[in-house]
Amino acid sequence: MSFEVIRQFGVAGWRQLDSPPRRRFGVPVGGPWDTESAHLARMLVGVGSGEPAFEVLQGSAEIQLGSSGILGIVGIDGTASLNGKEYPLAARIPVVIGDKLSITARCACLAIGTGSGEPIKLDWTPVLPSSLRFLTPGSTEFMQTVTVSRAFSRSGVRLEGIAPQNLPELPSEPSSVGAIQRTPSGELIVIGPDGPTIGGYPKLGSVIEADLPLIPRLKIGQPITLRSVTWSEAMTAYAERHKELSAIENLWKLSQSV
């Protein structure tokens, strides 16, 4: 299937999840930021994780279809509209050549397939972030409410609300998606998938894997609580979220077989 992006606002583009990792060469991973939504969108159209997903972040996109097939759209805080008819951001939609699709969302992923079928809504409720859990290098407990800044892109998100501490920069060291850097001005930077691979700002810690898909779902101006957790709590949170997603996938497979 092919389509043309007629118009876009905010950040939008193709993201390849399973491209060879090249961060060791200074090239960010560049995959979808909300890997959970991207996975479910691919599941809706029956394609594997090796297929790219089209991501819309904090904005909108208008798309014209160049061939027939099916679309899987999963996201948060917005709608999808096909030729003027609205669909939820958790649906499989059949399309034909010339159809026009509009997506407006805080964060959404679109996957394409070559099959056919009736529109189907996915029974999925996205987790809305009110806090982000992170692992800290030491055993120090940390909890602080901060505000999501307008400085929001795939490179990272700035969080405001912590007093300046005049901490000196350190020798540059490797960084990763979800790393939380503390700037001299007091702002925190949460590194995104297109963010730097090295940096000298002191690190507060790193967002746990279960909460990584929540970062692009943050809303500009939203208060968010940062809370440090133990390794055991991080592993438990990951296992619980993986179980929930597996249950969604199993129910989808069951509904497809009926």
Side-chain angles (χ1 to χ4, degrees):
M1 179 188 289
S2 64
F3 66 72
E4 176 186 0
V5 179
I6 301 173
R7 178 189 58 83
Q8 72 178 60
F9 174 78
V11 181
W14 287 105
R15 314 298 177 199
Q16 185 76 32
L17 180 64
D18 289 351
S19 57
R22 299 189 296 273
R23 290 190 70 91
R24 65 184 184 278
F25 300 123
V27 180
V29 64
W33 200 344
D34 186 346
T35 53
E36 181 177 293
S37 293
H39 169 74
L40 293 175
R42 291 188 182 100
M43 181 195 73
L44 283 170
V45 297
V47 297
S49 59
E51 295 298 318
F54 189 82
E55 176 187 69
V56 176
L57 179 63
Q58 302 285 341
S60 61
E62 185 174 335
I63 297 165
Q64 182 163 357
L65 281 302
S67 57
S68 301
I70 49 176
L71 304 178
I73 305 174
V74 177
I76 178 175
D77 195 12
T79 58
S81 174
L82 183 69
N83 300 327
K85 181 178 179 180
E86 288 195 357
Y87 293 87
L89 289 181
R92 185 185 74 185
I93 308 172
V95 294
V96 297
I97 298 174
D99 279 351
K100 288 187 177 180
L101 175 73
S102 296
I103 305 173
T104 300
R106 191 187 311 176
C107 180
C109 287
L110 167 69
I112 59 177
T114 57
S116 62
E118 296 297 318
I120 295 178
K121 183 181 182 300
L122 180 66
D123 186 13
W124 176 72
T125 302
V127 176
L128 298 177
S130 60
S131 66
L132 290 176
R133 295 166 291 184
F134 71 97
L135 291 169
T136 178
S139 57
T140 305
E141 292 186 0
F142 181 96
M143 181 177 290
Q144 175 84 38
T145 298
V146 293
T147 302
V148 180
S149 165
R150 287 188 173 276
F152 194 128
S153 71
R154 279 179 53 86
S155 293
V157 181
R158 287 183 177 260
L159 306 175
E160 303 170 335
I162 294 182
Q165 296 189 346
N166 298 319
L167 297 174
E169 287 196 32
L170 305 172
S172 292
E173 61 180 7
S175 185
S176 61
V177 178
I180 306 173
Q181 296 181 332
R182 191 198 302 260
T183 68
S185 65
E187 282 185 325
L188 301 178
I189 302 174
V190 184
I191 302 299
D194 288 349
T197 57
I198 60 172
Y201 288 139
K203 290 185 178 65
L204 185 65
S206 186
V207 176
I208 66 173
E209 189 164 354
D211 286 1
L212 284 178
L214 304 184
I215 301 172
R217 301 178 190 176
L218 296 173
K219 187 176 182 179
I220 294 172
Q222 169 189 354
I224 191 81
T225 301
L226 294 175
R227 180 169 64 88
S228 63
V229 296
T230 65
W231 177 259
S232 176
E233 289 174 312
M235 294 299 292
T236 299
Y238 174 76
E240 290 175 350
R241 195 55 190 151
H242 181 73
K243 183 178 179 180
E244 291 169 0
L245 290 175
S246 296
I248 293 172
E249 189 166 357
N250 289 335
L251 286 174
W252 170 255
K253 289 178 179 178
L254 180 62
S255 67
Q256 292 294 91
S257 64
V258 174

